[in-house]
């Protein structure tokens, strides 16, 4: 691999100005000294802690993977490991209400004009990591699995109006899928489906696969799973993958890939400051610190949509007239800072995610009188002394919900309104949230990941859907989802989805508050990043394209900055923040 001379970091203008703003009369000598010291600090960190990348690229992974069954995996950490293992059938690129497909596992994809018949042909040289060919049986098994198990994360997306799609085998590498009716969303669903090895998964009855179920980690991507290891130096676990020689695509540049587990979202910053990982998703507040030590920052609108969720079984179901007042009384701007910087957190104007081409562009909320809203809540409190608004939240130092809840309680107290906080550990919170009839709390913050498929959001609002957490029901809206999905003209479909979004914004089962961007940091020594196509989930579309360009420095470089062996020996180490809570495997 190529090697290049170390290039010292030039201060960002914002950092430069902030360091000099305290004294507007700072001399040129003082400015030069500040710059010199910053460059020295970067070089000390590199010389003391930056090891050669070698033949292994290391990713940061926030949180311990839970369910590793691709049909049930919900956590980001589980999904990121799964995306490293499995290749999709094809990639769907959607922009300006039009889409293009890019085949991956597939050799070809034919869609009839009415969008009811899909013909798929697999690549002849596609193999599973155990050497078994990927066949049409695997596609059929995977689709039927989602149909038979109606509680998977794919929900009922392989049923149209309750009726399952039909899958016909046309040979070892070809299948035909026929839909009960035209569905413009089905292509999205097919692109999102993980195809699993039927000869492996048919042996399992359980839907929960722990990280110890190594036999199930048989994918078809450029890297094959080797094992889970415990790092005695940093006290963390990591997943190790090896280059798969039978991969149907381009040969990976790296021989090995590791995904190192971090406990909290704050940890990757310190791992990267110590150069222990080269790639990771980070908090927005960490972006400046990492760009200062030669990490390139990438951001994606495909993040989360944070909503205010009203439980219909609680106070707001009985008194919907105060929904608007509650919204107006809370200061969304004050909440925003708890989820990241203003560069990466923006006000939401739709239940659809920021990157969704069908997102409504209306203003989210009329500029009503905030004082009037407060007076409305105060009058309600006086007229209904037995009624107290209960705000549920996740009790976890790593979650922003606790900070938001306390801030809201204080602001409501200042206006004379009692907001009762209901702190719950994550498992308790989710159990009560997923029970629409539970009224232990009336309102909470709730977020879901972005999705370019507008039809994917219907399960949150359809009557009797298991993912309708509010208990909201509107039969007219239920019918409108079906009408929009069956509309083949993209402009008319946009009109229908606009109407859907306006109805939900009017009825307010949930109310969109914030869009949170996803941010990734990549060590500057990793090259071909743009060609690998970084993305919001799963790191890169093409992991195999990543390459490296090692740095080197000389004694002359150290001497130029007066760096002594003692400076290198005493360089601060940050990785102790990554304390392990529970091992993946002893």
């Amino acid at each position: 691999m190529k090697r290049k001379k170390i290039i010292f970091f030039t201060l960002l203008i914002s950092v430069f100005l902030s360091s000099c703003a305290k004294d507007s009369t700072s001399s040129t000598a003082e400015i030069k000294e500040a710059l010199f010291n910053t460059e020295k600090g970067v070089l000390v960190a590199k010389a003391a802690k930056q090891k050669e990348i070698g033949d292994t690229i290391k990713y940061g992974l926030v949180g311990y993977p839970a369910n590793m069954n691709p049909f049930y995996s919900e956590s980001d950490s589980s999904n990121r490991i799964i995306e490293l293992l499995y290749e999709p059938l094809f990639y769907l690129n959607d922009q300006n209400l039009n889409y293009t497909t890019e085949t991956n596992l597939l050799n070809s994809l034919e869609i009839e004009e009415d969008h009811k018949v899909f013909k798929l042909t697999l690549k002849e040289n596609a193999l599973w990591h155990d050497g078994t060919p990927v066949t049409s049986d695997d596609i059929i098994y995977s689709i039927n699995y989602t149909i038979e198990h109606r509680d998977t994360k794919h929900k009922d997306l392989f049923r149209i109006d309750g009726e399952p799609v039909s899958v016909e085998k046309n040979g070892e590498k070809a299948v035909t899928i026929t839909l009960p009716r035209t569905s413009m969303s089905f292509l999205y669903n097919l692109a999102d489906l993980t195809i699993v090895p039927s000869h492996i998964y048919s042996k399992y009855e359980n839907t929960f696969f722990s990280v110890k179920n190594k036999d199930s980690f048989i994918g078809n991507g450029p890297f094959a799973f080797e094992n889970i290891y415990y790092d005695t130096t940093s006290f963390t676990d990591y997943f190790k993958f090896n280059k798969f020689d039978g991969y149907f695509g381009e040969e990976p540049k790296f021989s090995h890939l590791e995904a190192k587990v971090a406990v909290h979202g704050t940890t990757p910053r310190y791992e990267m400051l110590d150069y222990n990982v080269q790639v990771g998703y980070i908090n927005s507040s960490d972006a400046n610190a990492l760009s200062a030590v030669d990490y390139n920052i990438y951001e994606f609108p495909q993040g989360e949509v944070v909503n205010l969720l009203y439980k219909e079984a609680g106070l707001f179901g009985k008194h919907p007239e105060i929904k608007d007042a509650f919204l107006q009384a809370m200061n969304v701007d004050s909440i925003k800072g708890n989820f990241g910087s203003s560069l990466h957190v923006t006000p939401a104007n739709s239940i659809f995610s920021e990157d969704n081409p069908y997102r409504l562009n209306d203003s989210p909320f009329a500029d009503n009188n905030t004082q009037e809203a407060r007076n409305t809540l105060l009058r309600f409190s006086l007229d209904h002394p037995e009624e107290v608004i209960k705000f549920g939240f996740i009790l976890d130092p790593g979650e922003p919900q606790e900070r938001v809840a306390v801030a809201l309680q204080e602001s409501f107290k200042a206006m004379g309104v009692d907001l009762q906080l209901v702190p719950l550990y994550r498992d308790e919170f989710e159990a009560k949230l997923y029970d629409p009839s539970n009224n232990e709390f009336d309102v909470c913050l709730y977020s879901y990941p972005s999705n370019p498929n507008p039809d994917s959001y219907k399960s949150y609002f359809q009557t009797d859907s298991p993912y309708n957490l509010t208990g909201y029901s509107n039969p007219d809206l239920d019918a409108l989802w079906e009408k929009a999905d069956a509309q083949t003209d993209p402009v008319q479909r946009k009109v229908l989805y606009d109407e859907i979004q306006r109805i939900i914004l009017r009825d307010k089962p949930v109310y969109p508050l914030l869009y949170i961007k996803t941010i990734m940091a990549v060590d500057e020594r990793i090259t071909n990043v743009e060609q690998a196509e970084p993305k919001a989930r799963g790191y890169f579309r093409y992991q195999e394209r990543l390459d490296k360009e090692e740095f080197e420095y000389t004694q002359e470089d150290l001497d130029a900055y007066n760096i002594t062996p003692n400076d290198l020996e005493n360089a601060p180490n940050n990785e102790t923040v990554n304390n392990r809570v529970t091992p993946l495997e002893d």
Side-chain angles (χ1 to χ4, degrees):
M1 296 293 178
K2 299 178 183 176
R3 301 178 67 86
K4 69 177 181 181
K5 197 78 167 176
I6 187 167
I7 301 174
F8 300 128
F9 171 71
T10 302
L11 283 174
L12 293 172
I13 294 298
S14 59
V15 178
F16 174 84
L17 291 177
S18 65
S19 68
C20 302
K22 296 179 182 178
D23 183 2
S24 60
T25 62
S26 295
S27 67
T28 302
E30 290 172 329
I31 294 172
K32 286 183 176 179
E33 183 181 4
L35 182 60
F36 178 89
N37 288 334
T38 301
E39 291 177 344
K40 176 179 178 178
V42 173
L43 181 54
V44 167
K46 284 177 175 289
K49 293 180 286 192
Q50 189 182 66
K51 302 177 181 66
E52 287 193 355
I53 296 173
D55 63 355
T56 303
I57 185 168
K58 298 177 181 178
Y59 292 175
L61 185 71
V62 178
Y64 290 101
N67 194 347
M68 295 298 294
N69 183 334
F71 301 110
Y72 289 92
S73 59
E74 294 286 355
S75 70
D76 286 341
S77 54
S78 296
N79 286 330
R80 283 168 182 158
I81 291 293
I82 286 166
E83 290 206 31
L84 289 175
L85 279 170
Y86 298 93
E87 294 286 275
L89 289 170
F90 59 94
Y91 293 112
L92 183 63
N93 303 311
D94 196 334
Q95 191 172 15
N96 298 326
L97 307 185
N98 293 307
Y99 67 83
T100 58
T101 59
E102 181 181 347
T103 57
N104 197 45
L105 272 177
L106 293 183
N107 187 52
S108 65
L109 171 62
E110 298 177 24
I111 307 170
E112 293 195 359
E113 189 174 353
D114 62 359
H115 276 253
K116 287 180 62 177
V117 179
F118 297 74
K119 296 180 179 179
L120 289 64
T121 305
L122 286 161
K123 282 185 168 63
E124 287 293 334
N125 58 344
L127 298 175
W128 295 108
H129 291 154
D130 62 0
T132 305
V134 181
T135 69
S136 52
D137 289 335
D138 300 317
I139 297 178
I140 294 170
Y141 176 86
S142 301
I143 291 176
N144 286 339
Y145 190 98
T146 68
I147 293 171
E148 294 164 7
H149 298 74
R150 302 186 69 173
D151 59 343
T152 71
K153 67 180 183 182
H154 295 286
K155 310 177 182 73
D156 266 348
L157 299 184
F158 286 86
R159 291 176 181 266
I160 310 296
D161 304 334
E163 186 178 346
V165 303
S166 171
V167 191
E168 179 185 356
K169 181 175 180 178
N170 296 325
E172 286 302 302
K173 293 285 184 175
V175 299
T176 298
I177 303 172
T178 305
L179 313 187
R181 66 158 170 83
T182 295
S183 171
M184 299 305 294
S185 66
F186 182 76
L187 191 63
Y188 294 93
N189 305 336
L190 194 58
D192 286 342
L193 180 67
T194 301
I195 303 301
V196 300
S198 56
H199 66 287
I200 298 292
Y201 275 67
S202 59
K203 296 186 292 187
Y204 293 102
E205 293 184 1
N206 294 336
T207 59
F208 184 91
F209 297 168
S210 79
V211 292
K212 295 184 179 181
N213 289 108
K214 301 186 187 69
D215 292 343
S216 68
F217 293 2
I218 303 296
N220 47 30
F223 291 94
F225 174 73
E226 179 190 290
N227 212 334
I228 304 166
Y229 295 90
Y230 175 53
D231 188 335
T232 56
T233 302
S234 58
F235 307 107
T236 55
D237 296 287
Y238 65 93
F239 291 74
K240 187 169 183 178
F241 303 81
N242 297 325
K243 178 174 67 175
F244 177 46
D245 293 332
Y247 181 55
F248 61 83
E250 181 181 340
E251 181 182 356
K253 305 291 191 300
F254 287 94
S255 298
H256 309 286
L257 185 153
E258 292 178 4
K260 187 175 184 181
V261 178
V263 176
H264 287 299
T266 56
T267 308
R269 167 183 178 170
Y270 301 105
E271 290 280 19
M272 290 179 182
L273 288 174
D274 284 344
Y275 302 99
N276 292 324
V277 298
Q278 286 89 47
V279 177
Y281 295 100
I282 61 171
N283 294 330
S284 63
S285 56
D286 298 333
N288 284 344
L290 289 171
S291 65
V293 290
D294 295 336
Y295 279 84
N296 293 318
I297 305 300
Y298 300 86
E299 64 176 50
F300 316 90
Q302 302 97 323
E304 287 185 313
V305 185
V306 178
N307 296 271
L308 192 70
L309 182 146
Y310 296 108
K311 300 277 278 186
E312 292 293 311
L315 181 144
F316 288 101
K318 292 185 291 182
H319 304 281
E321 69 276 6
I322 64 168
K323 284 183 177 181
D324 283 353
F326 185 85
L327 268 169
Q328 285 293 342
M330 54 187 293
N331 186 337
V332 177
D333 285 336
S334 67
I335 293 175
K336 188 166 66 173
N338 291 287
F339 289 89
S341 75
S342 58
L343 292 174
H344 305 106
V345 179
T346 55
N349 63 350
S350 168
I351 59 162
F352 290 179
S353 56
E354 189 176 11
D355 64 319
N356 194 294
Y358 291 90
R359 176 170 61 90
L360 185 68
N361 289 318
D362 290 356
S363 297
F365 202 71
D367 291 325
N368 295 334
N369 189 310
T370 303
Q371 186 58 51
E372 181 181 335
R374 293 175 176 178
N375 290 340
T376 299
L377 288 176
L378 183 57
R379 284 194 300 271
F380 178 83
S381 295
L382 294 174
D383 294 342
H384 302 84
E386 76 286 358
E387 299 278 19
V388 178
I389 300 174
K390 295 173 290 185
F391 188 92
F393 67 95
I394 298 173
L395 186 64
D396 185 336
E399 286 282 341
Q401 289 198 9
E402 184 174 355
R403 299 191 298 273
V404 170
V406 173
L408 283 179
Q409 185 183 51
E410 289 299 316
S411 65
F412 274 74
K413 184 178 180 181
M415 68 179 82
V417 177
D418 183 19
L419 181 66
Q420 181 179 324
L421 300 187
V422 183
L424 297 164
Y425 291 111
R426 181 179 294 277
D427 289 346
E428 297 176 286
F429 176 83
E430 291 179 351
K432 297 179 191 306
L433 178 63
Y434 274 79
D435 179 3
S437 64
N438 189 286
N439 62 355
E440 186 160 337
F441 53 83
D442 306 304
V443 62
C444 67
L445 294 182
Y446 169 65
S447 63
Y448 45 71
S450 74
N451 197 313
N453 178 6
D455 194 64
S456 68
Y457 295 90
K458 72 181 178 185
S459 61
Y460 301 127
F461 305 101
Q462 275 189 316
T463 304
D464 297 329
S465 166
Y467 292 88
N468 181 345
L469 311 182
T470 68
Y472 170 69
S473 176
N474 184 331
D476 292 337
L477 183 67
D478 293 343
L480 203 55
W481 286 106
E482 179 181 331
K483 186 177 179 181
D485 182 40
Q487 175 57 253
T488 57
D489 180 79
V491 175
Q492 292 303 311
R493 195 159 64 252
K494 176 74 166 68
V495 170
L496 292 171
Y497 281 123
D498 282 356
E499 185 179 353
I500 285 172
Q501 292 167 84
R502 289 193 180 102
I503 290 172
I504 293 171
L505 288 174
R506 181 199 69 200
D507 292 351
K508 298 181 185 65
V510 304
Y511 199 83
L513 297 177
L514 303 169
Y515 292 133
I516 303 178
K517 289 182 172 63
T518 300
I519 309 169
M520 176 193 284
V522 181
D523 191 315
E524 195 180 57
R525 295 174 294 170
I526 300 300
T527 62
N528 291 354
V529 174
E530 299 297 338
Q531 293 89 334
E533 297 187 27
K535 58 181 185 174
R537 287 179 286 277
Y539 301 102
F540 300 94
R541 179 175 284 192
Y542 302 104
Q543 319 281 343
E544 64 274 17
R545 295 179 182 175
L546 293 173
D547 208 340
K548 66 175 181 179
E549 192 169 350
E550 302 276 18
F551 287 109
E552 67 176 5
Y553 61 89
T554 65
Q555 184 60 46
E556 286 75 15
D557 294 324
L558 299 179
D559 292 342
Y561 285 87
N562 302 321
I563 297 173
T564 67
N566 190 53
D567 292 329
L568 300 182
E569 185 177 343
N570 294 321
N573 192 307
N574 300 292
E575 71 179 5
T576 53
V577 301
N578 193 27
N579 292 324
R580 197 170 78 137
V581 177
T582 53
L584 288 173
E585 180 172 313
D586 293 328

